[in-house]
Amino acid sequence: MRLILAVLLLLMNLEAKSLFSNDAQAQTSKYVDNLKDLIIATQKTRGLTNAYLNGNTASMLLVYSHRDEIKQAIGNMESFKLAADPVINARATKISQALIKLNRKAFQQKPQKSFADYTEQIEQTLMLAQSVSKRFSKDLTPFGKKSSYVMMEIILPMTEYTGRLRGFGAGIAAKANITKKDIEKINALAYQLQSSNNKLQKEMAQILSKYPNKLPHNISSQLSLINKNIQKYTLFATQNLVSHPEHVNPDKYFDKGTALISDAIKIYNILDKAMLEDSKGWF
């Protein structure tokens, strides 16, 4: 009787956990998590560099701190199994070399040029992360595929829209001046961030409905908090910052954007942890 019960319990939980461990899923999760760290560090470097070049000299020391985080993330990239893949390695090496070169010359460039150059490398890193996810998607479990999609295709781009809105807006606040073109860009970034948030809320609702036992119960309240804070931040950017940039403290504006990115990364980390747990299997 005990043996029968054990078999029944095993069968009932096969969908919740695979029979065998999935090393490919675990390695994918670890590699893209490091790419996430590289993206976040580059976003901070870009935003603070833009603020510094627009007159906020106090941000210089923070720039150097985040440059060190870029170096650390680049060094970590070579320690993962996926780094041995020739396609991934070639693209990662190109990004790494470009970032090292850019960090050396960023302070000698005009604000717009520096911001655009960092943005280009962030976009390349985002595409690399998405390529890794798609390249190994066939080896992932259904939950792993869904989680990877949300992490790579929604959350990381969402942090980038936030990072651009944060860094570009901090530069505007630092120089206490805004042009018509700046206003159009702020409105466009706010719209992209709101659209990305709508996708996140929708996809996470589907995951929670289909896999209720794989994620912590408090994740719903965290998603609600993100939704609330995004509405507040985009409203502030498109109204207060646009109308009176001279009244906006660039450091506080930057910090609020950073807090918003941190909230999104919490969801990313929850999914990443669940993805790793899902990869373990029974054996």
Side-chain angles (χ1 to χ4, degrees):
M1 178 63 71
R2 290 181 179 178
L3 179 59
I4 294 174
L5 288 173
V7 171
L8 288 173
L9 286 171
L10 177 61
L11 291 173
M12 289 172 63
N13 285 279
L14 281 179
E15 185 176 351
K17 180 181 271 192
S18 301
L19 191 59
F20 298 101
S21 61
N22 189 332
D23 184 62
Q25 179 163 310
Q27 290 300 318
T28 299
S29 173
K30 291 175 182 178
Y31 190 80
V32 298
D33 190 50
N34 185 77
L35 289 181
K36 175 260 296 180
D37 291 339
L38 177 59
I39 289 169
I40 297 302
T42 308
Q43 288 169 340
K44 289 180 179 179
T45 301
R46 174 188 59 190
L48 290 165
T49 298
N50 190 51
Y52 169 77
L53 292 175
N54 277 293
N56 185 8
T57 56
S59 64
M60 177 185 279
L61 292 178
L62 290 173
V63 170
Y64 286 114
S65 174
H66 294 307
R67 283 183 183 179
D68 288 339
E69 292 176 2
I70 289 177
K71 291 179 183 178
Q72 183 177 354
I74 289 173
N76 290 340
M77 288 168 68
E78 299 178 357
S79 65
F80 296 101
K81 288 184 180 179
L82 267 65
D85 183 281
V87 175
I88 294 173
N89 182 61
R91 295 182 65 178
T93 299
K94 187 175 180 180
I95 293 168
S96 301
Q97 292 174 345
L99 281 172
I100 291 171
K101 184 178 180 180
L102 178 56
N103 282 341
R104 290 174 183 157
K105 64 180 182 180
F107 281 163
Q108 282 72 52
Q109 298 184 153
K110 291 183 178 180
Q112 299 90 337
K113 173 64 174 172
S114 175
F115 195 93
D117 286 350
Y118 277 115
T119 298
E120 170 63 21
Q121 295 312 312
I122 293 169
E123 288 176 347
Q124 291 298 321
T125 310
L126 282 169
M127 287 191 287
L128 175 58
Q130 292 166 2
S131 295
V132 170
S133 177
K134 292 174 181 177
R135 192 174 176 84
F136 297 97
S137 64
K138 65 181 186 301
D139 300 321
L140 306 183
T141 66
F143 175 77
K145 289 179 181 178
K146 190 70 171 177
S147 297
S148 179
Y149 168 76
V150 172
M151 291 160 64
M152 299 299 103
E153 306 287 342
I154 299 178
I155 296 180
L156 286 185
M158 191 165 94
T159 69
E160 174 56 1
Y161 296 140
T162 309
R164 290 184 193 180
L165 188 60
R166 173 189 65 181
F168 187 67
I172 290 171
K175 64 183 180 182
N177 184 47
I178 191 167
T179 65
K180 183 179 179 181
K181 189 175 181 180
D182 291 338
I183 293 173
E184 291 174 353
K185 189 169 183 177
I186 288 292
N187 287 332
L189 287 171
Y191 175 79
Q192 288 175 313
L193 178 54
Q194 290 169 339
S195 297
S196 186
N197 174 54
N198 291 337
K199 290 180 183 178
L200 175 66
Q201 302 295 331
K202 179 181 177 181
E203 292 295 333
M204 287 304 299
Q206 292 178 3
I207 291 178
L208 287 169
S209 175
K210 191 169 184 179
Y211 307 101
N213 298 323
K214 288 187 178 291
L215 300 171
H217 297 298
N218 67 338
I219 194 170
S220 294
S221 61
Q222 293 183 32
L223 286 164
S224 296
L225 180 63
I226 288 175
N227 186 58
K228 177 183 176 181
N229 288 340
I230 283 178
Q231 302 309 320
K232 289 173 61 177
Y233 195 64
T234 54
L235 186 65
F236 184 88
T238 56
Q239 291 190 5
N240 299 61
L241 178 64
V242 164
S243 301
H244 299 285
E246 70 279 7
H247 295 160
V248 176
N249 183 302
D251 294 327
K252 290 183 179 179
Y253 177 85
F254 191 91
D255 289 343
K256 287 181 180 179
T258 300
L260 192 55
I261 291 175
S262 296
D263 288 340
I265 291 302
K266 286 178 183 178
I267 302 298
Y268 181 103
N269 289 338
I270 288 173
L271 287 173
D272 189 44
K273 183 178 179 181
M275 192 173 165
L276 277 172
E277 183 64 28
D278 184 59
S279 73
K280 293 179 180 178
W282 289 97
F283 302 102

